C-alpha cells in the first residue's frame, strides 16, 4: 500500500481512539473538567505530562533545529530537559500542595489580589495562544503532506478532533487521550530512529550509534567541504547560548498547561512520583533526538547534494514535499545541479530565489523547512510506507496532545479565573461548566486561524512562548513559595515588567517576520537573540518584584503563615490540610 493509504488507516485509527476516549471520559462537574477529579494515577499522569510537554516542537521541530543548526541547536535540548527537572523539583510539589485549579488561582490567593489574578489569567491566555500557534501549524504540515489536503483543511480537521474531546471530557478527557497519544508518538519516534541507526552505524541503539560510530566525524568533514562550520562547532555568542537555555528552562517551569498537570493527582506524593515517571518518558525521546537529527542531516545531504534537478525531482518524496513549498530548489548558477551551501536559497515571503539576503552571493540552492526534517527522514532513508505513516500519526499526536492542554488553560483562565472569580462569584456549577466549554470552542476557532496563518516555524513560535512564561510566571511562583515577605504590589509590578519588556523586545527583534519588514528593528540586544530575551525579562521581574515588595507593606500575617505552611513537608502539622 502507498504511504497515503497507510496514513489514512493509521491516522484514522488513532483519531477514532482519541474520540472514543474523550467520550468515555466525559465529565459533568468543574473539578472533573479542570483537574480530572484529582484522581489520575501517577504513571498515567506521567505519560500525559510527557505528551503534554513533548509538543510538535519536540517531535517535529527540535530534531529539525539540531539537524540544521548542529551544536547550536542543542540549546533547545538542554533548555527543555533541564526546565522539566527544575519544575519537578522546585515547583510542582508545592503547587499541588496549595490545592487550586490553575496558576492564576495560585497567584490570586497567594498574593491576595484580584489584580494579580487578572494579570496572571491574561498572561496565561496570551502564552497559550502563542504556544498553540506552533502546535496547530504542525497539524497542518502533517495533513498537507501525508493526507493530501491543503493546510487549512488539515488544521480544521485537527482542531475539530481536539475540540471534541476537550469540550466534552475537559481535563479528564484530555489526560487519558494524552496517555494514548504518548504511546503513539514515542513508538513513531523510536522505530525510524532504530531503523536508520542500524543502516548508518550498524548499531540499533540510536544513542550508541550516534556516540560511538564514525558518523559525526564524517558529517563534520562534509559540512566543512560544503563551506559550513563543523556540525559540532558553535557559532552563537556564549551569552546567547546561556540566555536561550535559561529562558527555555525557566519557561518550562512556568508554563501553565504543564503546571496544571500536577493538580490532577490525589496528593503531593503522587505529584512527585508522576514527575519522575514523566522525566523517564521524556528522556526516551530527548536522548534520541540528537541522533535522529544527525542521521537526517547526513542522509539529506547525501541524497540531494550534487544531483541534477531531474534526478532529484524524480525521487517520489521530493516531488510530494515540493508541493507543500516546505522543500524548494533553485538553480542559481545554471549548472543544472543542486548545491548545498551556507545562506538562504529562497525569500520565504515571496517563495522566489533569494538575492536580497545578507549573503546574496550564496551558492545555496536548497530550501527545506526545519519542520519537515523528522517527518521526511523515514522517506529519505527509504523505510517502509507504514513507518512513514506512523511518523505522521506521531507528529499529529504530539501536536494535538499539547494543543488540547493549552486550550484547557485558555478555557480555565477565562471561565474559572475571570468569570467565576472576578465577574460572577455566585455562578452555579452548570454555568461555570458551560462557560468553560464555550471558551474551548472559541479558543479552537482562534487556534485554527493561527494554524492557517502561522507567525513562524513551530519551534521558533514555541520558544517565544517559553520566553513569555519565563518572564511572567516563573519569578512570581518561586517568590510566592519561598519568600513570605513577597506581597501583591511586588507581584503585580514584577509580572507587568517582565511580560511587557519581553513582548516588546520580541516584537522588535522579529519585526521582519511579523510585519514584513526587510530587516528587524533590533537584530539583537547585547548579543542576546529574541529566543533568549525572556531571561532578561525574568531577571527584571525578580528585581522589580523584590524591590517593590520591600518598599511596600508586608503581606497579612495569615498569608505569611500560609507560605510557611506550604513549605512544611507532607504530614507535618497543618500541612496535611492542603493535600
Amino acid at each position: 500500500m502507498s504511504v497515503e493509504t497507510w496514513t489514512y488507516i493509521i491516522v484514522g485509527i488513532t483519531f477514532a481512539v482519541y474520540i472514543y476516549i474523550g467520550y468515555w471520559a466525559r465529565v459533568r462537574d468543574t473539578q472533573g473538567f479542570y483537574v480530572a477529579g484529582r484522581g489520575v494515577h501517577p504513571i498515567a499522569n506521567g505519560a500525559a505530562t510527557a505528551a503534554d510537554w513533548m509538543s510538535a516542537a519536540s517531535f517535529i521541530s527540535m530534531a529539525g533545529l539540531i539537524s540544521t543548526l548542529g551544536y547550536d541547536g542543542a540549546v533547545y535540548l538542554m533548555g527543555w530537559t533541564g526546565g522539566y527537572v527544575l519544575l519537578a523539583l522546585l515547583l510542582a510539589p508545592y503547587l499541588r500542595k496549595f490545592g487550586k485549579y490553575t496558576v492564576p488561582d495560585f497567584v490570586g490567593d497567594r498574593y491576595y489580589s484580584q489584580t494579580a489574578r487578572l494579570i496572571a489569567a491574561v498572561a496565561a491566555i496570551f502564552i497559550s495562544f502563542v504556544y498553540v500557534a506552533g502546535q496547530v501549524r504542525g497539524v497542518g504540515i502533517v495533513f498537507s503532506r501525508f493526507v493530501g489536503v491543503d493546510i487549512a483543511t488539515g488544521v480544521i480537521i485537527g482542531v475539530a478532533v481536539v475540540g471534541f474531546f476537550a469540550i466534552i471530557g475537559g481535563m479528564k478527557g484530555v489526560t487519558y487521550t494524552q496517555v494514548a497519544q504518548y504511546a503513539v508518538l514515542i513508538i513513531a519516534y523510536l522505530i525510524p530512529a532504530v531503523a536508520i541507526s542500524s543502516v548508518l552505524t550498524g548499531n540499533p541503539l540510536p544513542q550508541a550509534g550516534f556516540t560511538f560510530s564514525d558518523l559525526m566525524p564524517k558529517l563534520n568533514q562534509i559540512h566543512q567541504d560544503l563551506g559550513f562550520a563543523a556540525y559540532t562547532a558553535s557559532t552563537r555568542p556564549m551569552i546567547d547560548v546561556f540566555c536561550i537555555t535559561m529562558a527555555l528552562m525557566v519557561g518550562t517551569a512556568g508554563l501553565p498547561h504543564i503546571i496544571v498537570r500536577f493538580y490532577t493527582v490525589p496528593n503531593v506524593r503522587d505529584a512527585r512520583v508522576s514527575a519522575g515517571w514523566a522525566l523517564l518518558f521524556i528522556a526516551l525521546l530527548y536522548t534520541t533526538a540528537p541522533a535522529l537529527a544527525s542521521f537526517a542531516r547526513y542522509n539529506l545531504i547525501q541524497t540531494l547534494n550534487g544531483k541534477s534537478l531531474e534526478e532529484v525531482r524524480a525521487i517520489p518524496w521530493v516531488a510530494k514535499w515540493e508541493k507543500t513549498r516546505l522543500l524548494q530548489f533553485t538553480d542559481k548558477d545554471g549548472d543544472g545541479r543542486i548545491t548545498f551551501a551556507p545562506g538562504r536559497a529562497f525569500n520565504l515571503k515571496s517563495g522566489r530565489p533569494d538575492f536580497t539576503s545578507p549573503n546574496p552571493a550564496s551558492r545555496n540552492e536548497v530550501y527545506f523547512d526545519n519542520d519537515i526534517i523528522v517527518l521526511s527522514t523515514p522517506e529519505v532513508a527509504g523505510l517502509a510506507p507504514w513507518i512513514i505513516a506512523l511518523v505522521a500519526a506521531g507528529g499529529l499526536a504530539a501536536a494535538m496532545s499539547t494543543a488540547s492542554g493549552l486550550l484547557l488553560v485558555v478555557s480555565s483562565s477565562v471561565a474559572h479565573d475571570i468569570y467565576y472569580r472576578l465577574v460572577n462569584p455566585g455562578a452555579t456549577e452548570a454555568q461555570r461548566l458551560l462557560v468553560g466549554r464555550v471558551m474551548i470552542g472559541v479558543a479552537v476557532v482562534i487556534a485554527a486561524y493561527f494554524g492557517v496563518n502561522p507567525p513562524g516555524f513551530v519551534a521558533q513560535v514555541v520558544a517565544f512562548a517559553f520566553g513569555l512564561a519565563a518572564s511572567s510566571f516563573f519569578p512570581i511562583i518561586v517568590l510566592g513559595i519561598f519568600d513570605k515577605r513577597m506581597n501583591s504590589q511586588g507581584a503585580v509590578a514584577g509580572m507587568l515588567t517582565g511580560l511587557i519588556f519581553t513582548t516588546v523586545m520580541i516584537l522588535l527583534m522579529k519585526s521582519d517576520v511579523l510585519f514584513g519588514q526587510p530587516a528587524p528593528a533590533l537584530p539583537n540586544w547585547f548579543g542576546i537573540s529574541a529566543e533568549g530575551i525572556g531571561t532578561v525579562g525574568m531577571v527584571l521581574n525578580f528585581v522589580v518584584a523584590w524591590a517593590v515588595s520591600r518598599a511596600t507593606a508586608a503581606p497579612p500575617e495569615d498569608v505569611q503563615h500560609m507560605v510557611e505552611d506550604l513549605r512544611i513537608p507532607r504530614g507535618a502539622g497543618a500541612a496535611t490540610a492542603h493535600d
Side-chain angles (χ1 to χ4, degrees):
M1 291 189 291
S2 68
V3 171
E4 287 73 19
T5 302
W6 272 111
T7 303
Y8 275 110
I9 292 171
I10 295 177
V11 170
I13 291 172
T14 56
F15 273 32
V17 170
Y18 304 155
I19 292 171
Y20 171 76
I21 292 173
Y23 179 77
W24 165 80
R26 61 193 183 279
V27 296
R28 295 180 176 84
D29 58 66
T30 52
Q31 179 159 297
F33 190 81
Y34 292 128
V35 290
R38 302 196 195 279
V40 180
H41 191 279
I43 297 179
N45 193 56
T49 303
D52 206 353
W53 184 67
M54 290 192 301
S55 62
S58 293
F59 189 97
I60 296 175
S61 255
M62 183 176 66
L65 280 168
I66 298 173
S67 182
T68 303
L69 301 176
Y71 181 90
D72 289 335
V75 296
Y76 292 90
L77 185 71
M78 294 186 296
W80 285 334
T81 308
Y84 184 79
V85 176
L86 189 66
L87 170 62
L89 297 179
L90 189 63
L91 304 182
Y94 301 106
L95 291 173
R96 173 59 190 90
K97 190 175 179 181
F98 198 75
K100 297 296 180 179
Y101 283 179
T102 65
V103 174
D105 238 1
F106 169 82
V107 172
D109 287 3
R110 162 60 183 88
Y111 293 111
Y112 52 95
S113 168
Q114 298 293 51
T115 301
R117 185 190 303 276
L118 178 61
I119 294 171
V122 171
I125 294 169
F126 185 35
I127 291 166
S128 296
F129 273 130
V130 172
Y131 203 155
V132 83
Q135 311 314 309
V136 180
R137 182 175 191 261
V139 172
I141 289 171
V142 174
F143 269 106
S144 67
R145 162 59 188 90
F146 294 102
V147 183
V149 300
D150 59 58
I151 286 180
T153 303
V155 165
I156 291 170
I157 294 171
V159 297
V161 173
V162 170
F164 174 81
F165 62 72
I167 288 171
I168 71 168
M171 179 59 80
K172 184 178 178 182
V174 165
T175 296
Y176 290 106
T177 303
Q178 285 172 337
V179 173
Q181 287 165 334
Y182 174 77
V184 173
L185 74 87
I186 199 64
I187 291 171
Y189 206 84
L190 293 179
I191 286 178
V194 168
I196 296 170
S197 181
S198 298
V199 171
L200 290 183
T201 72
N203 193 322
L205 190 63
Q207 296 86 341
F210 168 70
T211 305
F212 299 113
S213 73
D214 63 350
L215 184 72
M216 294 311 297
K218 285 183 181 177
L219 189 53
N220 275 334
Q221 188 60 54
I222 291 172
H223 256 231
Q224 291 170 316
D225 290 344
L226 294 175
F228 295 93
Y231 187 75
T232 55
S234 175
T235 58
R236 285 185 184 272
M238 191 52 62
I239 187 173
D240 197 31
V241 171
F242 173 81
C243 286
I244 293 175
T245 305
M246 180 62 72
L248 295 174
M249 283 183 64
V250 299
T252 295
L255 284 175
H257 75 289
I258 301 300
I259 291 173
V260 75
R261 290 244 48 92
F262 296 99
Y263 293 140
T264 64
V265 292
N267 52 53
V268 176
R269 179 184 179 278
D270 286 342
R272 295 181 187 275
V273 172
S274 68
W277 279 104
L279 190 57
L280 174 63
F281 293 140
I282 289 166
L284 290 176
L285 188 147
Y286 267 60
T287 57
T288 307
L292 187 61
S294 303
F295 301 157
R297 183 70 171 178
Y298 182 83
N299 272 338
L300 200 62
I301 294 175
Q302 294 291 87
T303 302
L304 300 179
N305 187 58
K307 303 293 194 302
S308 70
L309 285 169
E310 291 76 16
E311 284 180 284
V312 168
R313 287 189 169 130
I315 302 172
W317 68 265
V318 170
K320 291 173 181 176
W321 276 110
E322 265 198 293
K323 290 179 181 178
T324 67
R325 298 183 65 79
L326 299 175
L327 174 67
Q328 298 180 67
F329 305 97
T330 184
D331 189 9
K332 286 184 177 181
D333 56 13
D335 69 350
R337 295 190 173 275
I338 300 300
T339 301
F340 263 85
R344 294 190 304 208
F346 280 82
N347 182 304
L348 301 187
K349 296 189 183 301
S350 67
R352 297 180 179 180
D354 186 7
F355 299 106
T356 61
S357 69
N359 182 17
S362 167
R363 297 181 300 111
N364 187 38
E365 297 176 339
V366 183
Y367 163 69
F368 51 90
D369 192 290
N370 288 324
D371 293 341
I372 76 170
I373 297 294
V374 170
L375 297 175
S376 66
T377 292
E379 294 178 286
V380 178
L383 301 184
W386 69 269
I387 296 179
I388 298 169
L390 183 62
V391 171
L396 288 172
M400 293 168 66
S401 62
T402 302
S404 60
L406 292 165
L407 293 174
L408 271 178
V409 168
V410 173
S411 170
S412 63
S413 295
V414 175
H416 180 74
D417 298 308
I418 296 177
Y419 173 72
Y420 175 59
R421 293 292 192 181
L422 301 177
V423 177
N424 185 12
T428 64
E429 188 90 356
Q431 288 175 319
R432 294 165 60 193
L433 201 56
L434 175 62
V435 172
R437 284 175 166 153
V438 168
M439 285 313 306
I440 288 182
V442 172
V444 162
V445 173
I446 297 173
Y449 172 81
F450 280 132
V452 177
N453 303 279
F457 63 84
V458 174
Q460 181 187 53
V461 173
V462 169
F464 297 159
F466 278 75
L468 295 172
S471 61
S472 57
F473 282 134
F474 181 75
I476 298 307
I477 294 173
V478 169
L479 291 170
I481 294 171
F482 297 102
D483 181 10
K484 69 177 184 179
R485 181 63 176 75
M486 187 67 195
N487 62 16
S488 60
Q489 294 93 326
V492 170
M495 280 193 293
L496 287 176
T497 300
L499 195 61
I500 292 171
F501 171 83
T502 304
T503 302
V504 170
M505 292 297 287
I506 287 175
L507 291 175
L508 292 174
M509 295 166 124
K510 290 296 177 181
S511 55
D512 57 331
V513 175
L514 298 171
F515 307 118
Q517 297 178 6
L522 183 66
N524 58 46
W525 193 72
F526 296 106
I528 302 171
S529 64
E531 290 82 357
I533 201 66
T535 297
V536 181
M538 174 200 68
V539 172
L540 290 175
N541 187 336
F542 268 117
V543 170
V544 170
W546 187 89
V548 171
S549 68
R550 265 53 185 183
T552 52
E557 285 294 323
D558 62 318
V559 171
Q560 296 189 48
H561 290 317
M562 176 182 68
V563 175
E564 290 176 344
D565 178 54
L566 190 62
R567 297 199 301 272
I568 297 174
R570 183 181 183 275
T576 54
H578 294 279
D579 284 352

